[in-house]
Amino acid sequence: MGWKSSITAAFLLLAGVDAQAKLQVNLDSTDSIKSAAKVVAANLWNYYDGYKPGRTPGILPGPPPGGDYYWWQGGAMWGTLIDYWHYTGDETYINETIRSIIFQADAPRNAFMPVNWTASMGNDDQGFWGMAAMLAAEVGFPNPTGANDPGYLALAQAVFNTQAARWDTEFCNGGLRWQVPHTNGGYNYKNTIANVVFLNIAARLARYTKNETYAHWAEQAWDWTENVGYIKPDFNVVDGGHTEYNCTDINEVQWSANAAVLIHGAAIMYNYTGNTKWRTRTAGLLNQTIEHFFPEGIMVERACELEDRVQCNVDQHSFKGYMHRSLATVAIVAPFTKSTILSVLRSSTKGAVNSCLADGTCGFRWDRNSYDGDKSRGPAGQEMSALAALSTLLLDQKHVNLGPLTNDTGGTSKGDASAGVGDFQEVDPLRPIRAGDKAGAAIVTILVLGSFLGSLVWMSGGWGQK
Ligand SMILES: *[C@@H]1O[C@H](CO)[C@@H](O)[C@H](O)[C@H]1NC(C)=O
Ligand SMILES: *[C@@H]1O[C@H](CO)[C@@H](O)[C@H](O)[C@H]1NC(C)=O
Ligand SMILES: *[C@@H]1O[C@H](CO)[C@@H](O)[C@H](O)[C@H]1NC(C)=O
Ligand SMILES: *[C@@H]1O[C@H](CO)[C@@H](O)[C@H](O)[C@H]1NC(C)=O
Ligand SMILES: *[C@@H]1O[C@H](CO)[C@@H](O)[C@H](O)[C@H]1NC(C)=O
Ligand SMILES: *[C@@H]1O[C@H](CO)[C@@H](O)[C@H](O)[C@H]1NC(C)=O
Ligand SMILES: *[C@@H]1O[C@H](CO)[C@@H](O)[C@H](O)[C@H]1NC(C)=O
């Protein structure tokens, strides 16, 4: 017995040591990158249970306190998995991706505004689902097959239409507010993310459909965001300001998600228009993005990933993936950026891989050369980021180099220019208050403190200005 248990102990010890072994990837080999990405994707999938009976399709467990994740991060995950399919060809997650997008689009309106998620319904939250749908159209992701299913293009158009209708000229000379329902905390915050997600979708719709109306809105969203001072002359991108201060009380914190979504939209506008103005913007944003977020060539979320400690929340733990995915697309649609981007994506991905264990568990700190053990705040975000980094390194492929599809170049997604508009009940509870709604509104206000950029504002002191 003693002999046997010693062997067992030795075996477990070895297994333990083995579990700490690093993920092995040869970044010069497509096959090696694909197999590593597959391991990381499978690891990410462990955090998702929406395919199980009785669980809600499309969402990561949440929102807090019921689970770590807000609704928007589900949309971000499907976008990540659509890109994973695009770059690697792995079909494993296709069915659940389609089902989830259609489910959370929420028929009959199909504009990603399910009443369940009203308490965290920011324009950005809705927009992350809209960007996933737009991506599905652009990469020719298998279309939904249900007789009443909307096309991906129509879903993105519905998000665009609902947001264009919210453009608010009463305060700050224009712009979108952060939150949709006026009872949500943060309704008075006009922030960069809400406006650049709108710009991003408008730009991509313009390019996909060649409808100039979308391009006009993308121009307007840029102009507003720049004029109000959120895009600086040196192309640093800051967070936002409040309506009661005419948006002049600018919160200067720099989140990579703002810069990532913006540079993607700007590069698409450059590709669509061929205009020097958009080329200069793309070049300037790239310059500053690399300068600020990639010190030493490896991505760092500098506002919360400090030298001696990490104070990023669950949302922020997922930001690196959006940057890698955006930059990969910028490299394709604005080829003058390609060699610069390939080089920084490669060095940063090397850092990402060095943070991963052999079972595909990846860390948040990519510049530490080992797994950081950071499990408590959104491990799904770390997995999404590492998966995005690995996948997008495969950007130099023929089908990727053709660029995002358009309606004229092989895109098959069904559109509907008036999607999302019509006689639908707005999520904004400006409606007459009925019994029971008052308690609901209080809960809404409390919950939103933790929703997407809300905690960012709070963390950097901006929240106190409310
Ligand atoms: C996806 O659905 C199709 C059609 O129902 C089926 O043939 C296929 O096996 C499914 N794929 C996976 C990975 O479940
Ligand atoms: C909304 O929540 C209910 C109750 O949990 C659930 O059955 C339903 O599927 C959810 N709908 C969406 C769109 O998430
Ligand atoms: C272009 O987009 C606008 C805004 O959604 C829409 O009103 C218009 O009908 C579209 N035009 C065409 C030709 O589809
Ligand atoms: C608010 O700021 C805008 C610039 O963003 C400016 O054009 C406008 O005049 C300001 N309005 C007031 C009332 O100060
Ligand atoms: C990029 O940054 C460098 C210095 O940081 C500057 O000299 C150069 O003009 C910038 N380029 C653009 C396009 O902003
Ligand atoms: C737009 O993107 C395509 C696909 O990468 C590329 O071939 C084309 O040159 C780009 N257009 C511009 C103006 O850079
Ligand atoms: C997209 O292309 C199809 C033909 O391939 C055409 O029937 C349709 O009108 C086009 N849609 C738009 C919005 O241009």
Side-chain angles (χ1 to χ4, degrees):
M1 279 306 285
W3 173 81
K4 269 193 189 160
S5 51
S6 305
I7 298 261
T8 310
F11 181 78
L12 284 177
L13 184 66
L14 279 173
V17 167
D18 193 47
Q20 290 300 312
K22 281 193 178 193
L23 184 66
Q24 298 299 320
V25 196
N26 174 359
L27 295 184
D28 293 318
S29 154
T30 298
D31 288 344
S32 174
I33 292 173
K34 281 188 183 176
S35 45
K38 200 173 174 69
V39 171
V40 175
N43 193 300
L44 166 62
W45 203 245
N46 289 331
Y47 295 98
Y48 175 69
D49 65 5
Y51 60 88
K52 293 179 183 162
R55 308 297 300 180
T56 303
I59 61 164
L60 285 160
D68 286 341
Y69 306 94
Y70 285 94
W71 173 71
W72 76 274
Q73 209 168 321
M77 180 176 80
W78 302 117
T80 304
L81 287 169
I82 291 167
D83 261 341
Y84 170 63
W85 168 82
H86 178 54
Y87 289 104
T88 68
D90 184 351
E91 300 182 344
T92 310
Y93 306 103
I94 290 179
N95 291 354
E96 187 65 12
T97 303
I98 298 172
R99 182 171 92 108
S100 294
I101 289 176
I102 296 301
F103 189 84
Q104 291 297 332
D106 198 35
R109 191 173 196 174
N110 288 315
F112 296 113
M113 291 194 291
V115 68
N116 281 9
W117 316 114
T118 305
S120 64
M121 187 54 72
N123 283 301
D124 48 350
D125 302 61
Q126 180 196 22
F128 264 85
W129 284 91
M131 291 191 295
M134 190 68 227
L135 178 65
E138 289 169 333
V139 300
F141 198 68
N143 287 308
T145 53
N148 297 316
D149 289 346
Y152 300 125
L153 177 61
L155 294 176
Q157 287 170 314
V159 172
F160 169 84
N161 288 335
T162 53
Q163 299 199 343
R166 292 178 196 135
W167 188 264
D168 164 54
T169 50
E170 191 181 347
F171 297 96
C172 315
N173 234 6
L176 285 171
R177 294 165 177 273
W178 173 36
Q179 290 296 307
V180 178
H182 83 294
T183 44
N184 279 9
Y187 182 71
N188 61 338
Y189 192 49
K190 285 198 175 174
N191 59 358
T192 301
I193 193 70
N195 287 281
V196 298
V197 164
F198 177 64
L199 182 160
N200 178 297
I201 292 174
R204 293 159 74 181
L205 285 174
R207 185 176 173 281
Y208 193 98
T209 65
K210 295 201 165 60
N211 181 333
E212 270 299 306
T213 307
Y214 300 124
H216 168 80
W217 277 98
E219 295 274 359
Q220 180 175 316
W222 174 285
D223 290 345
W224 182 80
T225 312
E226 184 179 48
N227 288 339
V228 81
Y230 302 168
I231 303 168
K232 304 286 181 188
D234 64 3
F235 292 103
N236 276 319
V237 184
V238 301
D239 201 60
H242 291 88
T243 51
E244 61 272 32
Y245 296 97
N246 195 30
C247 296
T248 56
D249 61 326
I250 294 182
N251 180 337
E252 303 274 347
V253 66
Q254 292 185 53
W255 297 108
S256 68
N258 288 328
V261 170
L262 180 59
I263 192 175
H264 179 184
I268 292 280
M269 284 305 283
Y270 166 64
N271 192 268
Y272 174 62
T273 62
N275 196 314
T276 325
K277 176 177 77 181
W278 285 105
R279 184 187 156 111
T280 306
R281 291 170 177 175
T282 304
L285 286 168
L286 179 61
N287 209 354
Q288 204 55 259
T289 292
I290 292 176
E291 181 79 17
H292 188 77
F293 292 107
F294 294 83
E296 323 288 331
I298 297 179
M299 189 167 173
V300 178
E301 190 62 44
R302 285 177 55 182
C304 58
E305 184 181 354
L306 310 180
E307 191 50 43
D308 61 335
R309 68 188 186 284
V310 171
Q311 53 187 37
C312 310
N313 67 14
V314 171
D315 292 338
Q316 295 148 8
H317 273 73
S318 71
F319 284 2
K320 290 177 186 174
Y322 315 138
M323 178 61 84
H324 272 245
R325 287 171 52 216
S326 280
L327 290 181
T329 305
V330 172
I332 297 295
V333 299
F336 74 90
T337 65
K338 192 167 181 182
S339 61
T340 306
I341 289 180
L342 270 175
S343 140
V344 75
L345 288 185
R346 192 189 155 91
S347 57
S348 187
T349 303
K350 196 163 191 298
V353 163
N354 281 334
S355 85
C356 299
L357 301 178
D359 69 351
T361 301
C362 297
F364 178 64
R365 306 208 83 157
W366 290 359
D367 63 352
R368 299 297 149 123
N369 211 25
S370 65
Y371 176 56
D372 60 12
D374 188 351
K375 276 196 172 59
S376 62
R377 287 162 298 176
Q382 287 91 303
E383 298 306 311
M384 279 159 56
S385 296
L387 180 60
L390 280 164
S391 312
T392 55
L393 262 201
L394 299 173
L395 75 90
D396 220 351
Q397 301 178 66
K398 193 164 167 231
H399 75 282
V400 178
N401 274 315
L402 291 174
L405 302 175
T406 71
N407 194 55
D408 295 336
T409 62
T412 60
S413 193
K414 243 181 10 208
D416 172 4
S418 57
V421 183
D423 190 19
F424 298 103
Q425 194 190 341
E426 264 302 346
V427 292
D428 191 330
L430 270 173
R431 67 185 194 276
I433 293 176
R434 292 183 305 251
D437 278 6
K438 281 184 186 161
I443 291 167
V444 160
T445 308
I446 293 161
L447 283 179
V448 80
L449 280 169
S451 112
F452 190 11
L453 295 178
S455 38
L456 317 189
V457 177
W458 169 78
M459 205 185 69
S460 49
W463 192 259
Q465 293 166 2
K466 255 197 77 212

